Amino acid sequence: MEAVIQTTRRRSPLSRLRTRVTDRSPGLGAGVLSGAVAAGLGLGSFAVLVVVLWISSPYPDSGPGGALHVAAALWLLAHGSELIRTETLTGVPAPVGVTPLLLLALPVLLVHRAARDTTDGSDGGPLVPPHTAWAGVVLGYLAVGSGAAAYAAGGALRPSWAWAAVCVPLVTAAAAGSGVWTAYGCPRAPLERALRLLPGGVRRLLLGPGPRARLGAAARAAGAGAMVFAGGGAVMLAVSLVAHAGSVQRAFLELTEGWSGRFAVLLLCLALLPNAVLWAAAYSAGPGFVLGAGHAVGPLSSAPAPLLPSFPLLAAVPDPGPGTELNWATASVPVAAGLTMGWFVARAAVREERGDRERDGGEARTGLRAWSWWRTVAGAGLACLLCAAVLGALAALAGGPLGDAALARFGPVGWQVGAAALVWTSLGAVPTAVVLRAWRCRSVRVQAGGSVRPKTGEAGAGTTVTVPRPSAAEAVRARVSRWGLLLRAKTPKPRSPQPAPVPVPFDDLLEPYDVLLLDPPVSGAPSWHEDAARQARLTASKEAAAGTEAPWEAAAGEEDTKPKGTAEPVDSPPAPGQGDPVAPSARREPSAQDPGAEEPPAPDAPVSR
């Protein structure tokens, strides 16, 4: 043993570090791979589209390398990064900062799916820790994105490094965070931890026991208001395109001649369609949008636009000059958004709750839980603030520069759109929420949310007041008394008594054969296995054993003596328990000497019917 040499090999520090990271961070490698695959899919999609357009173009300006550079630049532009166009007529680089919002949806969706699938895991085991999955997806995506940015820097459209360093990580982190949050079932704890960073007064207003429900109701109302703004903007855009159909068609045909070029213009219009919807929503809110420095377009007045490129969506811009009644009618969009948000807040402010039945009367009890009026005002104001913030951010993302000098500002201004949306929605949502809350509480006396101290004998603050549910006739009479003769009371029709179900009799004989149908009774002589026939055979066997005359011989003699035409009466089968009981073992099996006997089948043989 002394001659044994120790040959144990120690692992290198790098190997120990890799093992430690793998053991402590399960799923990190899978997250990095998922992020890299998501970035590769996005780049591949843009590359395929640009290469197809380059191949179909009759006059390509560059080779396949230039097309791939353009694809990488467009991928960065889809993340909100600003590009710099170097090949201009004046030789001065010009920025391109208008992000097509439809292109933004592709990388966001890919990163979201990658983070969600990484957190779920593929083997059905426990969920990957959120920080590990998020960090892995972000690192893998940014690793591929940095290579794409370095490759795009050698093309005609070069990325702005400052914008690329901010926008690409921000979009990636937000989309990956939403994917991990969705995989964990959308918990509220991360949102509450983020809201704890707010000042104390705002935090108490949002994170109290009751404010949590108000925060959710305000978020739903803000989403409804944003959808109304988007729907109204889409309707306005469609009306403007139809009104300027001639200019739109002329711009579409003059911009390019070949079918491949027109197809590219059509794809660009579709990618910029959400931007145009947001421009229309900003127009309805009041600030409108700008088409260059000093050229604002709004419902009150529109300044003459500078020399714009011939583009179909720009041909639908309203004509310059003072606004008309048709332009002023666009203010109905923010008004409708405010009314919708007020209705959502009032619906959440008053909720009907059903309690258990009383022990004495057994009558169902119903109560209403309502907010106080100032809590309702606060909920409506919070909804308006959230909607204005979302709309302002989207409006700022929908615009940007398209060049220098006159085209340095192009599209809506975010803070102006947000402020106008806040004013419009507050004027419509707050009164609507208060009025609808009072209207819903009119029939029940409710102590609302702690705004007033309860009197002696009344329910405490924030409690549920329980009252018996009125009958149908009382509800109709109460409605008639409130609304006068506009409604006529209708006596509720009495319900007809429902017939009791008839029980189906149970047949013991059918129990083992529940899938077979019962055969109808057969008239005539009973068969061999019935009680009467069995009793007759037993009696005949006893008489034969005693040496008496066989029953069939006696029956034959009687038939000869009976006149023809007379019917023999059939005896009814004896009741169970009567007659001559004979044990089953006493039965005599029929033999060849008994020609009239019929051999019974075996017990296990099937019965023929």
Side-chain angles (χ1 to χ4, degrees):
M1 296 299 293
E2 296 179 357
V4 175
I5 301 175
Q6 184 72 23
T7 58
T8 303
R9 180 183 178 183
R10 294 184 179 182
R11 293 182 298 177
S12 62
L14 182 60
S15 177
R16 291 199 302 267
L17 178 61
R18 182 171 62 252
T19 304
R20 185 179 303 174
V21 170
T22 304
D23 294 340
R24 293 187 179 182
S25 302
L28 183 62
V32 172
L33 180 60
S34 299
V37 170
L41 288 176
L43 282 170
S45 302
F46 281 94
V48 169
L49 179 62
V50 174
V51 168
V52 167
L53 294 178
W54 173 78
I55 292 175
S56 60
S57 176
Y59 307 105
D61 295 337
S62 60
L68 294 178
H69 282 89
V70 171
L74 289 180
W75 183 79
L76 295 174
L77 180 64
H79 292 77
S81 177
E82 189 174 293
L83 302 179
I84 298 176
R85 186 164 52 91
T86 57
E87 297 179 359
T88 59
L89 296 178
T90 59
V92 180
V96 178
V98 179
T99 302
L101 295 182
L102 195 60
L103 298 183
L104 177 62
L106 179 61
V108 168
L109 180 61
L110 290 175
V111 177
H112 176 87
R113 289 287 301 272
R116 188 191 64 184
D117 296 342
T118 302
T119 307
D120 287 340
S122 58
D123 53 352
L127 296 179
V128 179
H131 299 287
T132 302
W134 178 84
V137 172
V138 171
L139 290 177
Y141 195 88
L142 293 182
V144 178
S146 58
Y151 179 77
L157 290 175
R158 300 177 180 178
S160 174
W161 291 107
W163 282 92
V166 173
C167 294
V168 177
L170 184 61
V171 172
T172 306
S178 66
V180 174
W181 185 59
T182 304
Y184 273 87
C186 303
R188 293 186 178 182
L191 299 179
E192 293 177 358
R193 286 197 297 267
L195 291 176
R196 288 193 181 98
L197 302 177
L198 299 175
V202 179
R203 187 169 62 251
R204 287 191 300 271
L205 180 63
L206 298 179
L207 297 180
R212 291 183 181 179
R214 286 190 288 273
L215 180 61
R220 289 189 294 270
M227 292 300 295
V228 172
F229 269 107
V235 172
M236 292 173 54
L237 177 62
V239 172
S240 182
L241 288 175
V242 172
H244 301 81
S247 302
V248 172
Q249 183 180 7
R250 225 171 13 253
F252 185 77
L253 296 178
E254 293 177 356
L255 190 60
T256 182
E257 295 181 358
W259 65 269
S260 59
R262 292 175 181 176
F263 181 69
V265 172
L266 180 60
L267 291 180
L268 183 58
C269 292
L270 292 178
L272 290 172
L273 199 60
N275 301 58
V277 170
L278 289 173
W279 286 28
Y283 184 89
S284 66
F289 48 88
V290 293
L291 297 177
H295 300 275
V297 178
L300 298 180
S301 63
S302 298
L307 184 60
L308 297 176
S310 180
F311 194 70
L313 292 180
L314 293 179
V317 173
D319 300 330
T324 60
E325 290 81 1
L326 184 60
N327 302 106
W328 301 339
T330 57
S332 60
V333 175
V335 171
L339 295 178
T340 303
M341 295 166 62
W343 183 82
F344 270 84
V345 172
R347 183 182 178 184
V350 182
R351 301 191 307 274
E352 182 178 355
E353 296 182 353
R354 296 184 178 182
D356 299 333
R357 295 180 179 271
E358 287 187 324
R359 296 181 178 179
D360 50 358
E363 186 180 4
R365 309 284 287 182
T366 302
L368 292 179
R369 182 179 293 273
W371 301 349
S372 62
W373 66 269
W374 67 272
R375 297 274 186 188
T376 306
V377 171
L382 180 60
C384 297
L385 184 61
L386 292 176
C387 180
V390 171
L391 195 63
L394 291 178
L397 191 60
L402 281 181
D404 294 325
L407 296 180
R409 297 179 59 187
F410 207 77
V413 182
W415 69 268
Q416 295 180 1
V417 175
L422 178 61
V423 173
W424 277 107
T425 54
S426 300
L427 293 178
V430 174
T432 303
V434 174
V435 171
L436 288 180
R437 171 200 168 274
W439 180 74
R440 296 191 66 182
C441 295
R442 70 191 184 279
S443 58
V444 180
R445 186 179 182 181
V446 178
Q447 180 67 34
S451 60
V452 183
R453 292 183 178 180
K455 299 180 181 180
T456 304
E458 293 185 352
T463 59
T464 303
V465 179
T466 306
V467 296
R469 179 183 291 274
S471 61
E474 293 177 354
V476 173
R477 284 196 296 271
R479 186 176 300 176
V480 171
S481 62
R482 287 193 301 268
W483 298 96
L485 298 179
L486 296 179
L487 297 175
R488 293 188 302 175
K490 295 183 179 180
T491 305
K493 297 181 180 180
R495 295 183 177 180
S496 58
Q498 299 293 336
V502 180
V504 180
F506 178 77
D507 193 354
D508 294 334
L509 297 178
L510 294 179
E511 182 177 1
Y513 308 98
D514 53 350
V515 285
L516 299 178
L517 298 177
L518 184 63
D519 293 339
V522 181
S523 59
S527 58
W528 66 272
H529 59 275
E530 293 187 358
D531 295 339
R534 185 185 300 112
Q535 192 68 24
R537 289 196 304 272
L538 293 176
T539 305
S541 62
K542 290 174 61 179
E543 292 177 356
T548 58
E549 184 181 5
W552 54 83
E553 296 178 359
E558 292 178 1
E559 289 179 359
D560 296 338
T561 56
K562 287 183 181 180
K564 296 182 178 181
T566 60
E568 181 181 357
V570 179
D571 296 337
S572 59
Q578 297 181 4
D580 190 6
V582 179
S585 60
R587 300 180 183 177
R588 186 176 63 87
E589 296 296 333
S591 60
Q593 299 177 359
D594 301 333
E598 182 178 353
E599 182 179 358
D604 297 335
V607 180
S608 59
R609 305 214 175 172

